[in-house]
Amino acid sequence: MNKTRLRVMGIAFCSVLVLIAGCAKDTPQNVLKPEGPFSRAPDSIIRPVFLIAGLVFVFVEGLIVLAVVMFRRRSDDERPEQIHGNTAFELAWTIIPIVILAGVGFLTVSKIFFLDKQHPKALQVQVIGHQWWWEFNYLDAKGKMVARTANELHIPVGEKVQLRMTSADVIHSFWPPKLAGKIDVVPGRTNNLAIQADKADFYYGQCAEYCGLSHANMRLRVVSQPKAEFEAWLAANSVETPANTYPIVNAATSSTASDVEKGYTLFLQKGCSGCHAVNGVAKGAVGPDLTNFNSRATFAGAIFPNDDDSLRAWLRNPPAEKPGSLMPNLKLSEAEITQLTAYLRTLGDPALRGVAPSGQAAATPGAATP
Ligand code: CUA
């Protein structure tokens, strides 16, 4: 087989693959299936603009094909008729595109104003992008933080939520495709984005701006829930609620202390508390707040399910699980991993994880591990 033929077949094969991918049924990040007013707005422009562009494409390509066939050179000494200018045609192909683009512009600008509108009376959440996870701080009417979580943004279903977005390090982009278009989060700047979900569900999203080694591992979820359920979640995640505390045992290896107490001591001794906050225990602000670690279905940028196997693997060597991870390998022994896991499992209520799209509650910790 010659090279050209091979190349053509390769391109054909890839095109078929791309086409088949469009047939997928389960597409949690399908931008063409919006499930909220702020994703429907841009979607409502895509269709008419695509239609207009399609018609223009067919018309122009049709004329080109027609010209190529009808006016091709039929003999070696044939010369085309020489013409110069045609006022009617020139006016037409100037005015028609102006009218079309003005129509598209009108549609677009009205949606831009709609999307740009601020909602000061809606629930306010500060979103901070980090390498490589998301911090979500819930604010009260005065702008004071009342609750905090990471990677999984809980919102009440059918209500507007105003996000105030910034970054702690580099530029990231917040993108839950079914709920909103993507918006960059930029250090030293606040960008605004409104989201609203039609139904109670998990909405998947990801960072959409290359932000370093684990850019691909920077996902997010929006958990939309009935108002009462959301209120319960918010109350449980209040920054005023202290986490469980345990008496500090002298050494993590003390034979008298239980795994949970030893884990608590390790948390303070191994430096975990320098980076992670736990209400009433530690105030670290580098990594995610762990006060309600268990009430999240995922961890580390929403890439791992929050079960014991994944957590143990993570504690064993974070950068091996997630390239570039700022959490270092602490060279913990298997016994220490067991103790830290035991302590982390006391933080937060797994019943607050919300309901997965399949309608089943997210797995409870340990349930997946025999
Ligand atoms: Cu954050 Cu890409």
Side-chain angles (χ1 to χ4, degrees):
M1 208 183 297
N2 67 33
K3 261 190 181 167
T4 320
R5 201 155 157 214
L6 207 65
R7 216 171 276 158
V8 169
M9 283 182 69
I11 292 171
F13 180 71
C14 293
S15 314
V16 169
L17 274 189
V18 169
L19 275 177
I20 292 174
C23 301
K25 264 194 184 146
D26 181 23
T27 49
Q29 296 198 160
N30 190 343
V31 76
L32 296 174
K33 286 188 181 152
E35 290 187 19
F38 302 107
S39 46
R40 250 187 313 273
D43 185 68
S44 68
I45 315 176
I46 291 176
R47 286 155 212 277
V49 170
F50 187 79
L51 183 74
I52 293 169
L55 289 175
V56 169
F57 176 81
V58 169
F59 179 69
V60 172
E61 292 297 314
L63 284 184
I64 291 174
V65 171
L66 195 74
V68 165
V69 175
M70 274 181 68
F71 304 110
R72 69 186 186 277
R73 189 157 77 159
R74 285 159 213 269
S75 68
D76 278 350
D77 44 35
E78 189 185 343
R79 289 280 176 272
E81 185 193 335
Q82 299 301 305
I83 52 167
H84 182 79
N86 183 314
T87 312
F89 270 129
E90 281 165 18
L91 279 174
W93 71 50
T94 306
I95 292 169
I96 293 172
I98 288 176
V99 171
I100 292 174
L101 289 179
V104 170
F106 176 77
L107 275 178
T108 309
V109 169
S110 65
K111 297 299 177 193
I112 288 176
F113 280 115
F114 170 73
L115 291 172
D116 194 46
K117 200 169 165 254
Q118 307 272 309
H119 306 277
K121 292 212 174 108
L123 173 69
Q124 310 284 307
V125 184
Q126 182 191 34
V127 176
I128 306 176
H130 294 262
Q131 281 174 318
W132 289 275
W133 58 282
W134 297 97
E135 177 178 348
F136 300 121
N137 299 322
Y138 291 72
L139 311 176
D140 67 9
K142 287 177 190 148
K144 187 174 157 260
M145 195 212 309
V146 291
R148 177 151 73 166
T149 192
N151 302 319
E152 297 175 15
L153 175 67
H154 287 242
I155 60 169
V157 64
E159 284 183 34
K160 288 186 193 81
V161 179
Q162 178 76 59
L163 306 180
R164 311 271 177 209
M165 333 185 61
T166 189
S167 168
D169 36 51
V170 299
I171 299 175
H172 305 269
S173 179
F174 182 87
W175 192 35
K178 285 192 171 186
L179 298 182
K182 58 183 81 149
I183 189 158
D184 278 8
V185 300
V186 182
R189 199 194 138 85
T190 300
N191 284 341
N192 298 296
L193 180 75
I195 58 170
Q196 179 176 333
D198 290 341
K199 51 182 194 183
D201 207 342
F202 279 9
Y203 291 96
Y204 296 85
Q206 63 186 71
C207 177
E209 177 73 54
Y210 181 69
C211 56
L213 261 189
S214 266
H215 157 67
N217 297 323
M218 187 170 172
R219 298 186 201 161
L220 63 104
R221 282 180 183 192
V222 180
V223 182
S224 145
Q225 13 184 212
K227 183 87 172 170
E229 221 175 274
F230 169 74
E231 294 292 347
W233 177 89
L234 193 67
N237 282 267
S238 161
V239 289
E240 307 293 334
T241 314
N244 292 322
T245 50
Y246 302 89
I248 301 180
V249 291
N250 289 334
T253 49
S254 162
S255 56
T256 55
S258 71
D259 278 348
V260 171
E261 286 167 342
K262 285 179 192 166
Y264 171 76
T265 307
L266 284 171
F267 186 81
L268 297 176
Q269 289 177 346
K270 290 282 181 181
C272 315
S273 55
C275 289
H276 295 282
V278 171
N279 289 353
V281 174
K283 287 189 172 158
V286 177
D289 186 312
L290 297 179
T291 309
N292 286 285
F293 175 69
N294 266 316
S295 60
R296 305 201 279 267
T298 58
F299 66 93
I303 53 169
F304 303 115
N306 194 352
D307 58 36
D308 285 353
D309 280 351
S310 308
L311 184 56
R312 292 186 69 94
W314 175 254
L315 292 172
R316 209 169 278 131
N317 189 355
E321 297 296 309
K322 188 173 168 180
S325 158
L326 296 188
M327 176 162 155
N329 182 350
L330 295 170
K331 306 227 161 38
L332 301 165
S333 70
E334 288 304 303
E336 288 171 329
I337 289 173
T338 301
Q339 292 154 2
L340 266 174
T341 303
Y343 172 62
L344 289 170
R345 288 295 173 228
T346 66
L347 301 175
D349 179 0
L352 293 171
R353 290 178 178 195
V355 172
S358 60
Q360 288 173 338
T364 43
T369 339

